Amino acid sequence: MTQTFTPNEMMTITAARALRNEDVCFVGIGAPSAACNLARLTHAPLITLIYESGTIGTRPNVLPLSIGDGELCDTALTTVSVPEMFRYWLQGGRITVGFLGGAQIDRFANLNTTVVGDYHHPKVRLPGGGGAPEIATNCGEIFITMAMGKRAFVEKLPFITSMGHGVTGAERRALGVKSKGPTRLITDLCVFEPDAQTKEMTIVSIHPGVTREQIAENCAWAPAYAANVIETPPPTKLELEVLRDIQARTKAAHAA
Amino acid sequence: MTQTFTPNEMMTITAARALRNEDVCFVGIGAPSAACNLARLTHAPLITLIYESGTIGTRPNVLPLSIGDGELCDTALTTVSVPEMFRYWLQGGRITVGFLGGAQIDRFANLNTTVVGDYHHPKVRLPGGGGAPEIATNCGEIFITMAMGKRAFVEKLPFITSMGHGVTGAERRALGVKSKGPTRLITDLCVFEPDAQTKEMTIVSIHPGVTREQIAENCAWAPAYAANVIETPPPTKLELEVLRDIQARTKAAHAA
Amino acid sequence: MAKFMEMAAAIEEHVHDGDSVAMEGFTHLIPFAAGHEVIRQAKKRLTLIRMTPDLIYDQMIGMGCAEKIVFSWGGNPGVGSTHRLRDAVENGWPNKLEIEEHSHAAMANAYEAGAANLPFAVLRGYIGVDLPKVNPKIKSVTCPYTGEVLATVPALRPDVGIIHALRADREGNVLLEGIVGCQKEAVLASKRTIVTVEEVVETFGPRSPNAIILPSWTIGAIVVVPGGSHPSYAQGYYKRDNSFYIAWDKISRERDTFLAWMKENVLEKDTTIFAEHAKKLGLA
Amino acid sequence: MAKFMEMAAAIEEHVHDGDSVAMEGFTHLIPFAAGHEVIRQAKKRLTLIRMTPDLIYDQMIGMGCAEKIVFSWGGNPGVGSTHRLRDAVENGWPNKLEIEEHSHAAMANAYEAGAANLPFAVLRGYIGVDLPKVNPKIKSVTCPYTGEVLATVPALRPDVGIIHALRADREGNVLLEGIVGCQKEAVLASKRTIVTVEEVVETFGPRSPNAIILPSWTIGAIVVVPGGSHPSYAQGYYKRDNSFYIAWDKISRERDTFLAWMKENVLEKDTTIFAEHAKKLGLA
């Protein structure tokens, strides 16, 4: 049985596997949303999904294009105002997993989604932080999902939009932040976890068919590897089916 | 035509007359509630009544016993949470008239509803401030309604629960408070308004049949009189009917 | 995830001697049945937090459960005094009672700050009044933009939050409606929580998308107690027993009559009497 | 009391050159019809405040209405860039655009503080990030109880708040439902307000006692514009036009195609086209 799949599918499926029934997950749009809903539709049917638009316990049948599509509200347990969402729910410390993506990341999983170049005279103006700065510190832990590439996995960020483990790996503790920060970085090629001591994001699993050379070519720094690196289990038939199914439904719905 | 009425009815009816259609009124229980609803059922049908329990634009058919009877919610435009009521609506500066009563008052219309005697070893422990401390400064103006008596209208308050014009009459301005404070004090014998200069509460109108001697007997300080003191117009037949009607309905409902 | 429990077990598991306990409900939905169980279990040295102590804390104070009360208006609404609270403050009966007194605005903001995981709340309040002179917890901050000085109070973070709500669904989500006071904030600010409800329904069914619902995972225990807020009320289920609030004035005025009433109506009864009260006051 | 007005008159009366304007709606209920009228009236030097500029501010910026933007996430949701915003920031076209940038949490808190008549908001935020280095409005206060240092932002108090809501009743009360974002806060924080609505009803009829309703006396002008939030959406009326959001990427990428589209679809049209859009996307 040969099951073919894209790197992107591998990334989304691996991210989904990290989620548990008991998680309360603050979901970003794009790959995080796909992963969270895939988890909900496969091994974690009881997971609570929260979108920053205020929808709590939402169960969309189609992936939303925006963070506030009507589908999210229609299928939610309830919908609260945005100030309440950020005050009582995110800052309230009720979220177990925050799911982030970004334009650029460094070895300590700090993220940039603000600017490339100087802030006041930017080369590229990116959308900005949105919920990310406070998601990064107020959730129990952070999962990040991003496709690798030398312009995305950079040596030094031009701007820190949200803190991972800080510029030296010691900043969370130094700033009195009690949450764990990024515990998993799931890419299209491999999975990183922070080293217990240094907090540098360290490769713990490589996706089937991917080589260390490929990873090196798509990362601006020389990434650390764990002592025991395993091969990521390939997508199961069910995982692929469910993911492709929801993506097909989504595409049809948004094109309408 | 001789229309008989009690001092208490005269007080409630006079208080009601001070209210206007365009007022947004923060209503306390007891005489204030009766006055506000009398206004609504007579000359000010469009008045907005707000109770601190969160009910906005309420139109009770029966006077509530408590500040949060179901009747208030059933007949309201909408009901908000108590934190929202105090933050967005009262502190938000949206209330034109706050209606207060109290156990004791002084000549500058400061009120005490906290203790008689020493705070830490009280002779009489009263209920406390509730909403009053912030009603007193956050509403556009304050109407007070209280029956007179030497133990209620005192020379010096043992405790200031809510500020009127302060202990010297100058405190509101000194503390940077922009609202007017008590502009009317309606008693069972007469009506006071603050003197334009000194802010001392000054008698501007005496209820029919009441003498200055009677007032003196029921006030621990020698009250000031305005240059032109008028006789309060007696209750009209309609005012009395509507008031007695709602009080009868209320009594029947609460005894049930 | 909320666990459906019996009343006695829920109070036993979640309320311990010496705890700070917030039993909220602003006139509406006051958790009387839970309060009576706390009294039956003779919990001691509690710090009782409530904007309006109402009859529920009057009863708990009179029965010796409390060593401190945090409140903002301590009377029998529309009737007069809470005599047991007064007797404790004025005469130290049945024990000395420490008081921490606030305004409604400050208490509401303190719950709100607790729910929002902030250490303190800021308000435009306590201006020109004496309460800050006797309550050292009232402090101030200066606005970093305008220089204005504003009052602060510490956030409320009770050990236990207890509320009564209308209904739970099978998953343990809880719905509130009507005068909702600061119940949601009290639950979200507390370390442990008990919610008593009128009934359990299969699902909430058609409702406003913005219905006030506490998700199951924010709640510790759910106890089904029809009538559980009598003599307070449950919107759409039964009315406030205003005549009982009036009668309480006489019952509670003297220690003897109070103790006799508590013995007969609380100590010798269990949670099931609440359903009987509710039936009598039920809506047509 | 709210005054029912025509769109052109409402914008003329309430929006002046140089004003700070908050047109809120978090993905849902974005007031596009009002935005288009502001463009037709060629308002200038506005400070545009919105958590997510979205296409509405992309259009207004591209047409030269803005001199400053206050925001927290400036993209085309789920699609990519807001190209007109980028062109203004990166290249100063059609004019230089000053930016004041926040996080969502800070903006939401700043509206909340504005509605609550506080001069500033406090949050546990902006920790370990660079935004405070480039936005001098982000400051801090120290908790008077714990010594913790928390971030602050100034309250938002716009000159004008504009939102789209579901319906008004004859008295001018306005009902919102669904994803309500920070619209209520934006209205309550603003000095003047315009609310556009899908329809006017005789009364709201049976509803949750806690329905989100802005009383008539909190609103300046009400304008009835069916479809007034297209390509955003109105819960229960019509769906979000996701295909238009996708199409906007191409339309807005180049200045020419953008200007041509604005001429044909905004400058040469009036408010009535919104009803046509809504009809196409209407719910079955």
Side-chain angles (χ1 to χ4, degrees), chain B residues 155-167:
Chain B
E155 184 65 47
K156 188 176 158 39
L157 295 177
F159 195 93
I160 297 182
T161 306
S162 64
M163 180 171 65
H165 296 288
V167 285

Side-chain angles (χ1 to χ4, degrees), chain A residues 68 74 87 119 125 127 160, chain D residues 27 74 90 101 109 130 233 235:
Chain A
D74 291 337
R87 289 169 64 81
Y119 181 81
R125 176 64 227 199
I160 297 183
Chain D
T27 312
E90 295 171 10
E101 186 169 1
N109 274 288
D130 283 344
Y233 70 106
Q235 189 85 22

Side-chain angles (χ1 to χ4, degrees), chain D residues 203-227:
Chain D
T203 69
F204 293 134
R207 62 188 184 275
S208 160
N210 309 108
I212 300 168
I213 293 177
L214 286 162
S216 181
W217 45 275
T218 63
I219 296 167
I222 297 179
V223 182
V224 185
V225 193

Side-chain angles (χ1 to χ4, degrees), chain C residues 153-177:
Chain C
V153 284
L156 282 167
R157 301 304 300 259
D159 292 323
V160 199
I162 303 179
I163 66 166
H164 187 70
L166 298 183
R167 48 194 168 276
D169 68 13
R170 292 274 169 215
E171 295 178 24
N173 304 300
V174 164
L175 185 139
L176 296 171
E177 209 168 62

